[in-house]
């Protein structure tokens, strides 16, 4: 009886862990990404449109895992070219904080 209860408890715990991982793995749309950038960088309407188009192109590409970093760097360079000097500084800070979190 103890073994059955133990396995049932373990199964319940594993199921919760799997659900938590799925919920966190939801894909964001280009609009959601740009909305987040807008909150942090105070983008103009024209910048929002241009950056949204860049993200749509990026998300529609079929890129291998190995090429993804190079494509992301290319995307970030294009985005930086659209920003003002103050926005570029904030954007670079955001990128460095993001890379610190990954490590």
């Amino acid at each position: 009886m103890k073994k059955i209860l133990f396995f049932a408890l373990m199964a319940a715990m594993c199921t919760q862990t799997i659900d938590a991982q799925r919920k966190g793995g939801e894909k964001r749309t280009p609009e959601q990404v740009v909305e987040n950038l807008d909150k942090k960088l105070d983008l103009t309407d024209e910048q929002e449109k241009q950056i949204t188009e860049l993200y749509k192109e990026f998300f529609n590409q079929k890129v291998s895992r190995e090429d993804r970093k190079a494509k992301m760097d290319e995307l970030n360079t294009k985005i930086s070219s659209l920003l003002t000097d103050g926005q570029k500084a904030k954007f670079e800070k955001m990128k460095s904080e993001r890379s610190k979190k990954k490590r």
Side-chain angles (χ1 to χ4, degrees), residues 60-100:
N60 288 329
Q61 293 177 3
K62 299 293 182 197
V63 181
S64 68
R65 186 170 270 226
E66 296 81 27
D67 295 338
R68 190 163 186 81
K69 182 173 177 9
K71 291 288 187 180
M72 191 66 184
D73 289 341
E74 184 181 317
L75 174 67
N76 286 334
T77 302
K78 289 178 183 178
I79 291 172
S80 290
S81 70
L82 299 172
L83 301 176
T84 64
D85 291 337
Q87 290 171 329
K88 283 181 188 178
K90 289 179 186 177
F91 186 63
E92 292 300 320
K93 184 179 177 186
M94 286 171 47
K95 287 191 320 185
S96 67
E97 288 174 357
R98 192 177 322 136
S99 67
K100 286 179 186 176

Side-chain angles (χ1 to χ4, degrees), residues 16-28:
Q16 287 178 336
T17 303
I18 292 169
D19 273 348
Q21 290 173 353
R22 282 189 198 142
K23 290 177 184 171
E26 293 178 11
K27 290 188 177 184
R28 298 183 337 186

Side-chain angles (χ1 to χ4, degrees), residues 31-48:
E31 290 79 11
Q32 290 171 327
V33 174
V34 174
E35 183 179 321
N36 185 37
L37 279 177
D38 185 32
K39 288 178 186 175
K40 295 179 180 180
L41 301 177
D42 194 31
L43 301 172
T44 64
D45 291 339
E46 187 62 31
Q47 287 174 322
E48 282 184 54

